[in-house]
Amino acid sequence: MISMKKLIKGEKGASLAIALIFLAIGAIMLPPLLMLIGSGLQQGTAIEERTAGIYDSDAGVEWAINLIKTGGVGLPNEQDSSRTYILSALNGDTLKVTLTYDNEGSYYKVESTASLNGKSITTRATLKYQLGGSGLFDNAITALNGDIEFAKDAFVTSAPGSDQGNIIANGNINIGRNTVIEGSAIASGSITGFVGYIEQGYYEDTPVSFPTLDTSIFMTKAMIASNGNIELASNYITGGTITVDTRLLGNLSPNNNKTLIVNGNLYIEGSFSSSKDFSFEFGGEALYIGGNLDFSKNAEVKFTNPNGCTIYVAGEIKISKDIQFDGPYTLVANGDIHLAKDTSYILDPTKRPPLIISEMGTIDVSKSDTIVGILYAPNGNIIINKDMDIEGCVIARGIEVKKNLKITFRTDWNLSELDTYLNGGLSTLNILAWNTIGG
């Protein structure tokens, strides 16, 4: 019988053998395992770098989209069709964005390349942006929900630079004989007539949308004299000078050959009508008329406040012929506006473009010499009869131009003050292609 002592003595060295076996297995498995770990780390780093590169190259395209939407400095154009921009990316990449304009199709090609550690990721996109359709004041002539009709002999241009006399309609456009458009034409419907006179091309069946202008703020501004320092309880028919804020409970209708000077703000509950050879000088900031405004012929009307003034008429405005009408900053009527012949409406655009607005009616312009400002009739039409020179833009539900219109769209006017009055409106940007390569 084998004793326990002999049995243990016979197994001497077994632990060493087992240890050597495990050491051999470790020697075989450890190098591949370390290589696998290292490969995983490298792969993870590569994936992270590629993901960062994709984010950065996509961000370059988004940057280009924002540049196009905001009309930023340095956009490519017909004369210089391709521009390259070097940007700093968030992840340490070098970002190169190339923006190319295709005049034939009116679209942009974007190539954005992010480079890091000798590798690069490129995102390529093709974008078609709705030209001039997103802003209310972006075009020389805008039909919000109707047609633009040119009879003949119209000339639409821009300044400075003569290629931005664009017209746009949420409806149809008809170009009459001898009508030249130094810009583009866009319509949600058809564009017919003498389309060869549209110098920057025309685009039919193109959806358009516009913001609206909140005009109620002008009425509020005009009513600041509703609790005037003095009240006149009856109709006012004489001339003279008014130096403080005044509330007139009746009508203002001075007699022939009278001169009325108002240096404060004026609130008229009734109508304001002038007789022959009436002279009116207004130095206040606000004039509210609860009825109609009717200036007879040969009147002289001046608005002398250097900061401009706001006039709101709850009824309609009728300006007869041969009137000198200079200076108001904002002229608003709830009803129709009739601007008669041989009258100059010179509104000094010192801060922002002056406004002539009919909230619910039509603006009818006869043979006037000059209008400087923006004509706006969102719920009615603007009818321009003949022999007109407008420096600014025309916006209405529908627009009819009969003969001999020249309109010069000012591209250098500051419109930022009007942004706070705008509601809604969409920019139309179609992404035709978006691809990422490399890495």
Side-chain angles (χ1 to χ4, degrees), residues 7 27 64 72-73 86 166-167 212-213 241 394 429:
L7 183 61
V73 176
I86 304 299
N166 304 322
I167 61 176
T212 58
L213 184 67
T241 300
V394 177
L429 175 67

Side-chain angles (χ1 to χ4, degrees), residues 309-362:
C309 71
T310 298
I311 304 170
Y312 185 89
V313 181
E316 66 176 28
I317 296 174
K318 184 177 181 181
I319 310 295
S320 297
K321 66 176 184 176
D322 301 321
I323 290 179
Q324 181 180 343
F325 191 90
D326 297 346
Y329 199 37
T330 305
L331 179 62
V332 183
N334 184 257
D336 295 337
I337 298 179
H338 305 275
L339 305 180
K341 65 179 183 177
D342 300 327
T343 294
S344 295
Y345 304 89
I346 309 296
L347 290 80
D348 182 20
T350 53
K351 295 181 180 177
R352 59 134 168 93
L355 301 171
I356 300 176
I357 299 171
S358 171
E359 292 179 312
M360 302 302 297
T362 293

Side-chain angles (χ1 to χ4, degrees), residues 151-154 339-343 364-371 383-390 400-406:
K152 63 177 182 176
D153 301 325
L339 305 180
K341 65 179 183 177
D342 300 327
T343 294
D364 189 343
V365 182
S366 295
K367 183 182 176 182
S368 299
D369 292 334
T370 305
I371 292 179
I383 302 171
I384 302 173
N385 290 292
K386 65 176 182 176
D387 300 330
M388 275 299 308
D389 188 350
I390 298 175
E400 181 181 357
V401 178
K402 293 185 177 179
K403 185 180 179 182
N404 294 345
L405 165 70
K406 179 183 179 183

Side-chain angles (χ1 to χ4, degrees), residues 278-298:
F278 168 66
S279 179
F280 178 60
E281 184 174 311
F282 186 77
E285 294 182 357
L287 171 59
Y288 176 86
I289 301 169
N292 299 321
L293 173 63
D294 186 354
F295 285 140
S296 299
K297 65 178 182 178
N298 300 323

Side-chain angles (χ1 to χ4, degrees), residues 172-176 190-195 198 202 204:
N172 303 316
I173 297 176
N174 182 54
I175 306 297
S190 63
I191 301 177
T192 57
F194 294 84
V195 296
I198 305 173
Y202 64 97
E204 301 176 294

Side-chain angles (χ1 to χ4, degrees), residues 123-139:
T123 299
R124 292 172 179 165
T126 303
L127 314 169
K128 187 173 181 64
Y129 186 63
Q130 178 63 56
L131 300 176
S134 61
L136 187 61
F137 310 110
D138 289 350
N139 305 281

